[in-house]
């Protein structure tokens, strides 16, 4: 089933080949003749369980990131995962880092920048954060609380955050992590923005660590120039104190970033849940996301496939039913069923490829397409059960 997507020229050229699962699969499809592909069988008992129960059972987890392409159901998955974690953890927090927040819409209640208790729970909270606004507020607070000597420090920090590409967002990310770390929660679920923004977010600890490392090197090479520059930018009269203050603040930030980086790369503390739908672009984006996470050293061994039509049935079974009943259906019903069957065949194709790519190493969970929107606490509770007790594909 996976041969078609792997032989597509644009797919082979666009995807890097260092990812172990993809490379091994590609070699397998090249070395096994087409006639013998059906003879390769994998014992289902050896495959990872197709659910997120492994996350619920891993009590050491502190950070769970949920990400993927836009429009694949990341917010719904984040909320459902938070609901399930709340059953076994003392205090759970869901944080939206997407500028276009949807947590309020999902839970049907107002959620702000502070942890907001979710109705119907006594141990689940949610908050929506805009990192750029937090950065502006941090700079305003520095200016309002500063003394004459601190004016130069604030000016120097402002210059620093505007002179290094990407460091402004990275600094705001560090402020976000400081805020989240200061809260008393057992586990934090991050509802992230679409893939590109999320990869940038996860690269911030590395960006900041390198940038602040360079600043510390400059301190030794140029002595008091930093302090003098700070004094020139402000009205302070003591360059030595100004230099110590700015370097101390940078060192504090660097310590937080190092701690966050270590936590991100520890699979006992952090994991990433990839969310997709059974379509080519989404599967392709998931493969890119998995490879980038591997580069950052971030654990990822769960994939959620949303919007699956009748996951307990395959297209062949439905086709048999349709062939038997087609003649008795009115033309409008035939057209509707025909379109549904075409969509089901397409989904089965990409679901098969998803299992071929990841089934041996990842927990691949299929979430059904429902007749209604999953909004509100009650519907989220019901839908979340599919994450830990998925549809039986053998029925």
């Amino acid at each position: 089933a996976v041969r078609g997507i792997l032989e597509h020229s644009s797919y082979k050229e666009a995807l890097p080949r260092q990812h172990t699962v993809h490379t091994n699969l590609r070699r397998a499809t090249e070395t096994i003749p087409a006639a013998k592909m059906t003879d390769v069988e994998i014992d289902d008992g050896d495959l990872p369980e197709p659910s997120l129960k492994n996350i619920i059972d891993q009590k050491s987890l502190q950070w769970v990131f949920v990400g993927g392409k836009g429009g694949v159901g990341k917010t719904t998955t984040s909320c459902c995962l938070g609901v399930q974690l709340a059953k076994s953890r003392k205090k759970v927090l869901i944080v939206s880092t997407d500028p276009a927040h949807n947590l309020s819409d999902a839970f049907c209640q107002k959620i702000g920048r502070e942890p907001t208790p979710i109705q119907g729970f006594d141990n689940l909270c949610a908050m929506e954060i805009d990192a750029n606004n937090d950065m502006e507020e941090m700079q305003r607070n520095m200016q309002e609380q500063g003394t004459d000597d601190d004016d130069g420090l604030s000016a120097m920090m402002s210059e620093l955050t505007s002179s290094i590409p990407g460091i402004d967002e990275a600094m705001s990310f560090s402020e976000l992590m400081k805020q989240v770390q200061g809260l008393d929660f057992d586990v934090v679920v991050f509802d992230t923005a679409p893939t590109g923004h999320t990869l940038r977010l996860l690269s911030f600890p590395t960006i900041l660590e390198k940038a602040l490392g360079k600043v510390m090197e400059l301190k030794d090479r140029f002595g008091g120039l930093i302090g003098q520059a700070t004094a020139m930018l402000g009205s302070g009269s003591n360059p030595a104190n100004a230099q110590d203050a700015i370097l101390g603040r940078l060192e504090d930030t660097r310590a937080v970033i190092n701690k966050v980086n270590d936590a991100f790369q520890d699979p006992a503390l952090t994991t990433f849940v990839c969310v997709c739908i059974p379509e080519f672009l989404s599967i392709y984006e998931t493969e890119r996301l998995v490879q980038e996470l591997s580069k950052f050293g971030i654990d990822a061994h769960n994939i959620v496939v949303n919007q699956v039509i009748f996951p307990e049935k395959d297209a062949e079974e439905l086709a048999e039913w349709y062939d038997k009943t087609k003649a008795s259906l009115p033309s409008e019903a035939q057209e509707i069923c025909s379109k549904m069957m075409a969509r089901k065949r397409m989904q089965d194709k990409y679901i098969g490829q998803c299992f071929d790519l990841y089934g041996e190493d990842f927990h691949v969970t299929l979430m059904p397409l429902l007749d209604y929107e999953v909004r509100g606490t009650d519907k989220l509770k019901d839908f979340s059960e599919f994450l830990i007790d998925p549809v039986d594909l053998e029925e």
Side-chain angles (χ1 to χ4, degrees), residues 74-326:
K74 297 183 296 296
T75 297
T76 300
T77 302
S78 301
C79 295
C80 289
L81 184 56
V83 167
Q84 288 297 323
L85 285 168
K87 293 181 178 181
S88 58
R89 298 293 193 99
K90 292 182 179 179
K91 295 187 68 176
V92 179
L93 175 66
I94 305 173
V95 178
S96 172
T97 61
D98 188 346
H101 300 298
N102 290 310
L103 291 182
S104 296
D105 299 326
F107 283 110
C108 296
Q109 68 176 86
K110 178 63 177 176
I111 295 173
R113 297 179 61 188
E114 298 296 328
T116 305
I118 299 300
Q119 297 171 2
F121 296 87
D122 55 8
N123 64 336
L124 178 62
C125 295
M127 61 191 297
E128 298 177 337
I129 292 179
D130 188 336
N132 291 329
N133 288 343
D134 287 347
M135 185 63 185
E136 294 172 2
E137 183 176 343
M138 179 187 72
Q139 292 179 342
R140 282 198 303 269
N141 290 340
M142 288 170 58
Q143 294 172 356
E144 293 172 358
Q145 298 174 4
T147 62
D148 287 343
D149 286 336
D150 287 336
D151 288 342
L153 174 60
S154 299
M156 189 68 177
M157 289 292 289
S158 179
E159 288 294 320
L160 177 65
T161 56
S162 62
S163 61
I164 302 176
I167 197 173
D168 53 344
E169 292 177 283
M171 290 286 285
S172 63
F173 173 74
S174 73
E175 290 300 309
L176 162 64
M177 298 311 297
K178 285 181 183 177
Q179 182 180 0
V180 173
Q181 285 182 324
L183 301 173
D184 182 26
F185 288 92
D186 296 337
V187 60
V188 180
V189 178
F190 288 90
D191 174 31
T192 67
T195 305
H197 181 86
T198 300
L199 293 176
R200 184 172 175 81
L201 182 79
L202 296 174
S203 69
F204 285 161
T206 303
I207 293 174
L208 258 187
E209 208 284 326
K210 290 181 179 178
L212 297 181
K214 291 294 183 182
V215 171
M216 294 305 173
E217 290 179 12
L218 292 176
K219 177 196 70 170
D220 298 329
R221 294 175 61 184
F222 295 98
L225 280 180
I226 295 178
Q228 294 176 14
T230 305
M232 291 174 62
L233 289 169
S235 58
S237 58
N238 193 331
N241 289 344
Q243 175 179 324
D244 291 341
I246 189 171
L247 292 177
R249 187 163 295 178
L250 289 174
E251 192 62 60
D252 291 342
T253 301
R254 188 182 187 185
V256 172
I257 289 302
N258 285 336
K259 183 178 180 181
V260 169
N261 217 8
D262 292 341
F264 276 9
Q265 296 178 2
D266 185 351
L269 301 177
T270 304
T271 193
F272 198 105
V273 178
C274 303
V275 183
C276 65
I277 57 177
E279 296 180 3
F280 174 80
L281 290 179
S282 185
I283 299 295
Y284 172 85
E285 189 93 346
T286 300
E287 172 69 5
R288 185 170 75 91
L289 176 59
V290 168
Q291 294 188 35
E292 291 296 322
L293 292 172
S294 178
K295 290 180 184 177
F296 293 135
I298 298 175
D299 173 73
H301 60 273
N302 286 277
I303 294 178
V304 175
V305 185
N306 280 325
Q307 303 178 20
V308 179
I309 301 174
F310 303 124
E312 74 280 4
K313 301 181 183 299
D314 57 37
E316 286 75 13
E317 291 176 331
L318 293 176
E320 292 178 3
W321 167 85
Y322 182 52
D323 291 340
K324 293 178 181 178
T325 58
K326 181 178 180 179

Side-chain angles (χ1 to χ4, degrees), residues 34-45:
K36 295 183 179 180
M37 287 288 284
T38 55
D39 296 335
V40 180
E41 296 183 359
I42 299 175
D43 185 1
D44 291 345

